[in-house]
Amino acid sequence: MGQTVWQDKKILILNRLGFTLIEVMIAFVIILIVMLGLLNLTGQVVTVSVKNTIRDEAIKVAEEVMAQVKALPYDDISTMTYNQLRQRIDPNSSATNITRNFRNFSMTYTPEISVTTYSDAKVINVTVTWSYRGDNYSHTISSLMRRTE
């Protein structure tokens, strides 16, 4: 009789070692929910990365335009369009925007130049605007130039 009780307990223990179908399905649903959350997060990370790349390129465009303006003689610096700046540098140029290609698409940037003149100095502001997925963005840099005589 003692041996039968031992065998019955052994059978009960062996029956409880596995998972039931319901436990497996619940675990599968939990893993699926976690994976969907990670997939959504991955999409958001890619979008933010692309926005940062576009913004970094806008900063480079603003710095390039600022360098072109600062290369002009002091008396020639005034509020102008990018097209006017390009024509002063290269009379054959007709560029009004700057287009950059990266990550298998192109982005068009529109630079604007404004100058505030004081008695012995000029403050140059270069604003670059662009549009991405229906939203408009801009980046502005400023520089101070003094007359050197």
Side-chain angles (χ1 to χ4, degrees), residues 19-118:
F19 295 104
T20 65
L21 182 59
I22 292 176
E23 291 171 332
V24 171
M25 293 300 289
I26 291 172
F28 181 72
V29 167
I30 291 171
I31 291 172
L32 183 65
I33 290 170
V34 169
M35 289 300 185
L36 288 174
L38 290 176
L39 183 64
N40 185 28
L41 180 65
T42 302
Q44 291 176 357
V45 166
V46 168
T47 300
V48 168
S49 176
V50 169
K51 281 183 177 181
N52 285 339
T53 301
I54 292 170
R55 188 206 55 214
D56 290 345
E57 197 63 33
I59 292 169
K60 291 177 188 175
V61 167
E63 289 173 349
E64 290 171 10
V65 172
M66 180 65 78
Q68 292 171 351
V69 171
K70 290 175 78 172
L72 294 173
Y74 180 83
D75 293 329
D76 290 349
I77 296 174
S78 62
T79 298
M80 64 186 99
T81 64
Y82 179 69
N83 188 27
Q84 293 169 334
L85 172 66
R86 292 300 309 147
Q87 287 179 350
R88 286 186 185 180
I89 296 170
D90 179 12
N92 297 324
S93 175
S94 62
T96 56
N97 295 320
I98 299 173
T99 301
R100 297 289 170 89
N101 298 315
F102 49 93
R103 290 198 181 185
N104 299 324
F105 68 93
S106 63
M107 182 60 57
T108 301
Y109 300 97
T110 305
E112 298 172 11
I113 304 160
S114 66
V115 178
T116 305
T117 304
Y118 297 99

Side-chain angles (χ1 to χ4, degrees), residues 4-23:
T4 309
V5 174
W6 171 251
Q7 288 176 348
D8 289 341
K9 286 184 180 181
K10 187 175 179 183
I11 291 171
L12 285 173
I13 292 172
L14 289 176
N15 284 342
R16 292 184 185 202
L17 290 179
F19 295 104
T20 65
L21 182 59
I22 292 176
E23 291 171 332

